[in-house]
Amino acid sequence: MLDLDRTEITTGPIPRVLALLAAPLLVQNLVQVLQQVVDTLWLGRHSLEAVAAVGLTFPLTGLLAAVSIGAGVGTQVLVSQRVGADGDWRARRGAANGIVVGFAAGGLAGLIVAYFAADIVSLFGASDLVTQYAASYLAVSALLFPALSTSEALESGFIGWGDTRAALYINVVAVAVNIVLDPFLIFGWWLFPELGVTGAALATGIGYAIGFAFGLALALRGRSGFVLSRDVLTFSRADCREIIDIGWPTAGQYVSSQSARVGMVWLVALVGGDPGLAAYTIGARVAAIAFVPAIGLQQAAQSMIGQNLGADLPERARRTTWTGVVMASVGLTVVGVVQWLIPETLSVLFVPDATPTEVAVAADYLRILAYSYWAIGATYLLQAGFNGARRTRTSLVATLLQYWIVRIPVALAAAYLLEMGVNGVFWGVTISNIVAALGLGVYYWYETATGMNTRAVDVAQSEAAD
């Protein structure tokens, strides 16, 4: 990876800067996917019930993760705008208080989920053994969740500063520790106790705790000018308030999308039965890999937009958003073309045991989904444009409309009124993606034409001057 001078974020060629900022984040996201794959492989050697238990808790841990995502985005946007406004000391203090918010919010959410873990899991009606495993996994994951949420906040501080490599290094350490500890804690290798599914959750929590400690060491020693020195390690209620104000809509956005996905799983199962559900699962797995570049580009763009707004460069922030939209849309279009051409191959690659019927339905879904890949890329970057300007509520409203007002009603209408069956549900996904991209694009153009970024500059600079 090429080096990036921090001053280039507000002066350098936009496509190059975006690409250099996003590259480490892309690798970071791939590393996190690798972690999930390795966890599944080790648990598969334990028992099918263990794999089923973790799969059962996946939507629940995803909802829990909304807390860390909210704290992370709030920290990133606050730090980036302060850096752009030459408020480096206040930016570093904001990052320190972001860690406080991440720990406090993660600890509170984790304790609540851990206390009710058995009751929550029992609602799914799984077998007794799977329910037992799932309750243990969820409780341990929840108790260790503060390690993840504090690590996420620290990484976001680095990203907002413009040092995306540090976030990659923190994640590599966390995932490496997790991967190494997995077999020892799951199967009781060497001197370790045999903990089964609980061991997998414990390994993940320990990994994030060590990753956070590594990141904190980088920050205390100073890296790229980002130093959590003693003078910035002061509690500020104003900083915490701002982080929560910026971040809570992002947390709500994530909860909304995850909840709607649960509803879509129910709808797919109702309309398409087991083949439809298998196809939807395969599509979700393929999409999780395909969207990695767009997610990395979104994170990079939020920092770049925030810094340019802080530096009184509203037009450059606008151009950054549209440049990112083009980059993400073109990139995902290429991915979509490949997916449209070889959907059966991808289906078998991700689920080798899929039946011919499941492969055929999955191929239909992957082709239908591919038509909207450009729109998904555009949506990620348009949301970055709003988020970088502290307009995270706009992203929340857009997600609510996309999933609950467009996706589910269109899927129901196509499946039953148009009698398209499960393919109608799949078209509901694609149509909602396209509507979201077009709607956000028109609204972003309107808002920036009427001074959104200029107003964001005023807020960022007045806040930095206080």
Side-chain angles (χ1 to χ4, degrees), residues 313-335:
L313 297 169
E315 175 58 23
R316 181 174 168 85
R318 187 190 67 83
R319 286 190 289 115
T320 297
T321 300
W322 287 118
T323 301
V325 167
V326 173
M327 292 170 67
S329 296
V330 171
L332 279 184
T333 295
V334 173
V335 174

Side-chain angles (χ1 to χ4, degrees), residues 8 35 47 60 86 115 125 163 173 178 188 235 243 250 252 314 354 365 409 422 436 450 453 458:
E8 290 186 73
Q35 173 190 4
S47 66
L60 302 172
D86 293 325
Y115 183 80
D163 185 0
V173 170
N178 182 11
F235 176 72
I243 290 167
T250 305
Y365 180 41
V422 73
T450 55
N453 282 353
D458 293 340

